Short mmCIF file of all heavy atoms in Angstrom, two decimals:
data_model
loop_
_atom_site.label_atom_id
_atom_site.label_comp_id
_atom_site.label_asym_id
_atom_site.label_seq_id
_atom_site.Cartn_x
_atom_site.Cartn_y
_atom_site.Cartn_z
N GLU A 953 114.50 85.43 100.46
CA GLU A 953 114.74 86.82 100.10
C GLU A 953 113.71 87.34 99.09
O GLU A 953 113.32 88.50 99.14
CB GLU A 953 116.16 86.99 99.55
CG GLU A 953 117.22 87.06 100.63
CD GLU A 953 116.94 88.13 101.68
OE1 GLU A 953 116.59 89.26 101.30
OE2 GLU A 953 117.04 87.83 102.88
N ASP A 954 113.30 86.46 98.17
CA ASP A 954 112.23 86.85 97.25
C ASP A 954 110.94 87.14 98.02
O ASP A 954 110.19 88.06 97.68
CB ASP A 954 111.97 85.75 96.23
CG ASP A 954 113.07 85.66 95.17
OD1 ASP A 954 113.83 86.64 95.03
OD2 ASP A 954 113.18 84.60 94.51
N LEU A 955 110.69 86.33 99.05
CA LEU A 955 109.52 86.55 99.89
C LEU A 955 109.59 87.91 100.56
O LEU A 955 108.61 88.67 100.57
CB LEU A 955 109.42 85.44 100.94
CG LEU A 955 108.29 85.59 101.97
CD1 LEU A 955 106.93 85.43 101.30
CD2 LEU A 955 108.45 84.57 103.10
N ARG A 956 110.76 88.23 101.12
CA ARG A 956 110.92 89.51 101.79
C ARG A 956 110.61 90.68 100.84
O ARG A 956 109.85 91.60 101.17
CB ARG A 956 112.35 89.66 102.31
CG ARG A 956 112.59 90.94 103.13
CD ARG A 956 114.07 91.30 103.19
NE ARG A 956 114.88 90.22 103.69
CZ ARG A 956 115.10 89.96 104.98
NH1 ARG A 956 114.53 90.73 105.88
NH2 ARG A 956 115.86 88.95 105.34
N LYS A 957 111.18 90.63 99.65
CA LYS A 957 111.00 91.72 98.69
C LYS A 957 109.55 91.86 98.27
O LYS A 957 109.01 92.97 98.18
CB LYS A 957 111.89 91.48 97.47
CG LYS A 957 113.38 91.58 97.76
CD LYS A 957 114.20 91.21 96.52
CE LYS A 957 115.69 91.23 96.82
NZ LYS A 957 116.49 90.79 95.63
N ALA A 958 108.90 90.73 98.00
CA ALA A 958 107.52 90.77 97.52
C ALA A 958 106.56 91.28 98.59
O ALA A 958 105.69 92.11 98.32
CB ALA A 958 107.10 89.38 97.05
N VAL A 959 106.74 90.80 99.82
CA VAL A 959 105.85 91.22 100.91
C VAL A 959 106.08 92.69 101.24
O VAL A 959 105.13 93.47 101.39
CB VAL A 959 106.06 90.33 102.16
CG1 VAL A 959 105.28 90.89 103.35
CG2 VAL A 959 105.64 88.90 101.87
N ALA A 960 107.34 93.09 101.35
CA ALA A 960 107.64 94.49 101.67
C ALA A 960 107.09 95.43 100.62
O ALA A 960 106.58 96.51 100.93
CB ALA A 960 109.15 94.67 101.81
N ALA A 961 107.15 95.02 99.36
CA ALA A 961 106.62 95.87 98.29
C ALA A 961 105.11 96.06 98.43
O ALA A 961 104.59 97.16 98.25
CB ALA A 961 106.95 95.26 96.93
N ASP A 962 104.40 94.99 98.76
CA ASP A 962 102.95 95.09 98.93
C ASP A 962 102.59 96.00 100.10
O ASP A 962 101.67 96.83 100.02
CB ASP A 962 102.34 93.70 99.16
CG ASP A 962 102.14 92.93 97.87
OD1 ASP A 962 102.43 93.49 96.80
OD2 ASP A 962 101.69 91.77 97.94
N VAL A 963 103.31 95.83 101.21
CA VAL A 963 103.02 96.63 102.40
C VAL A 963 103.29 98.11 102.13
O VAL A 963 102.53 98.99 102.55
CB VAL A 963 103.84 96.13 103.61
CG1 VAL A 963 103.65 97.05 104.81
CG2 VAL A 963 103.42 94.71 103.97
N ARG A 964 104.35 98.39 101.41
CA ARG A 964 104.66 99.78 101.10
C ARG A 964 103.66 100.40 100.13
O ARG A 964 103.39 101.60 100.19
CB ARG A 964 106.10 99.89 100.59
CG ARG A 964 107.08 99.97 101.75
CD ARG A 964 108.49 99.53 101.42
NE ARG A 964 109.33 99.74 102.59
CZ ARG A 964 109.33 98.96 103.68
NH1 ARG A 964 108.49 97.93 103.75
NH2 ARG A 964 110.13 99.23 104.70
N ARG A 965 103.11 99.60 99.26
CA ARG A 965 102.02 100.12 98.41
C ARG A 965 100.84 100.55 99.27
O ARG A 965 100.24 101.61 99.05
CB ARG A 965 101.58 99.05 97.42
CG ARG A 965 102.50 98.86 96.22
CD ARG A 965 101.89 97.87 95.25
NE ARG A 965 100.59 98.31 94.78
CZ ARG A 965 99.66 97.50 94.28
NH1 ARG A 965 99.87 96.20 94.21
NH2 ARG A 965 98.52 97.99 93.86
N ALA A 966 100.50 99.73 100.25
CA ALA A 966 99.40 100.08 101.16
C ALA A 966 99.77 101.30 101.99
O ALA A 966 98.92 102.17 102.23
CB ALA A 966 99.08 98.89 102.06
N ALA A 967 101.01 101.37 102.43
CA ALA A 967 101.45 102.50 103.26
C ALA A 967 101.38 103.82 102.50
O ALA A 967 101.13 104.87 103.09
CB ALA A 967 102.86 102.26 103.77
N ARG A 968 101.58 103.78 101.19
CA ARG A 968 101.52 105.01 100.40
C ARG A 968 100.11 105.61 100.42
O ARG A 968 99.95 106.83 100.32
CB ARG A 968 101.97 104.74 98.96
CG ARG A 968 103.48 104.66 98.83
CD ARG A 968 103.91 104.81 97.37
NE ARG A 968 103.50 103.68 96.54
CZ ARG A 968 104.22 102.57 96.39
NH1 ARG A 968 105.40 102.44 97.00
NH2 ARG A 968 103.78 101.59 95.62
N VAL A 969 99.09 104.76 100.55
CA VAL A 969 97.72 105.27 100.68
C VAL A 969 97.61 106.11 101.95
O VAL A 969 96.96 107.17 101.97
CB VAL A 969 96.70 104.11 100.70
CG1 VAL A 969 95.29 104.64 100.94
CG2 VAL A 969 96.77 103.33 99.40
N LEU A 970 98.26 105.64 103.04
CA LEU A 970 98.22 106.39 104.30
C LEU A 970 99.02 107.69 104.18
O LEU A 970 98.64 108.72 104.74
CB LEU A 970 98.78 105.55 105.44
CG LEU A 970 98.13 104.18 105.68
CD1 LEU A 970 98.66 103.56 106.96
CD2 LEU A 970 96.63 104.29 105.72
N GLU A 971 100.13 107.63 103.48
CA GLU A 971 100.99 108.81 103.36
C GLU A 971 100.36 109.90 102.51
O GLU A 971 100.49 111.09 102.81
CB GLU A 971 102.34 108.41 102.78
CG GLU A 971 103.19 107.57 103.73
CD GLU A 971 104.47 107.08 103.07
OE1 GLU A 971 104.43 106.81 101.85
OE2 GLU A 971 105.49 106.99 103.77
N HIS A 972 99.66 109.51 101.46
CA HIS A 972 99.15 110.50 100.50
C HIS A 972 97.65 110.72 100.59
O HIS A 972 97.15 111.70 100.02
CB HIS A 972 99.52 110.07 99.07
CG HIS A 972 100.98 109.88 98.88
ND1 HIS A 972 101.90 110.90 99.05
CD2 HIS A 972 101.72 108.78 98.54
CE1 HIS A 972 103.13 110.45 98.82
NE2 HIS A 972 103.04 109.17 98.51
N GLY A 973 96.94 109.83 101.27
CA GLY A 973 95.52 110.02 101.45
C GLY A 973 94.68 109.35 100.37
O GLY A 973 95.15 109.09 99.27
N LEU A 974 93.43 109.06 100.71
CA LEU A 974 92.54 108.37 99.78
C LEU A 974 92.28 109.19 98.52
O LEU A 974 92.15 108.63 97.43
CB LEU A 974 91.21 108.07 100.47
CG LEU A 974 91.21 106.99 101.56
CD1 LEU A 974 89.83 106.91 102.22
CD2 LEU A 974 91.57 105.64 100.97
N ALA A 975 92.21 110.49 98.67
CA ALA A 975 91.85 111.33 97.53
C ALA A 975 92.85 111.20 96.39
O ALA A 975 92.49 111.30 95.22
CB ALA A 975 91.75 112.78 97.97
N THR A 976 94.13 110.99 96.73
CA THR A 976 95.16 110.89 95.69
C THR A 976 95.54 109.48 95.36
O THR A 976 96.28 109.23 94.40
CB THR A 976 96.42 111.66 96.13
OG1 THR A 976 96.89 111.10 97.37
CG2 THR A 976 96.13 113.13 96.32
N SER A 977 95.07 108.50 96.16
CA SER A 977 95.52 107.11 95.99
C SER A 977 94.46 106.19 95.41
O SER A 977 94.77 105.18 94.78
CB SER A 977 95.99 106.53 97.34
OG SER A 977 97.04 107.31 97.87
#
């Protein structure tokens, strides 16, 4: 479960770059 949380958090950090764009990320 710790693995799940840690990996999901990293992927969502990367996904936020896609959601908000390079200019803001």
Side-chain angles (χ1 to χ4, degrees):
E953 281 306 313
D954 286 342
L955 176 67
R956 185 201 305 275
K957 293 175 183 176
V959 172
D962 279 358
V963 174
R964 276 156 176 76
R965 282 185 59 202
R968 282 197 292 273
V969 176
L970 305 188
E971 290 175 326
H972 303 299
L974 289 175
T976 59
S977 302

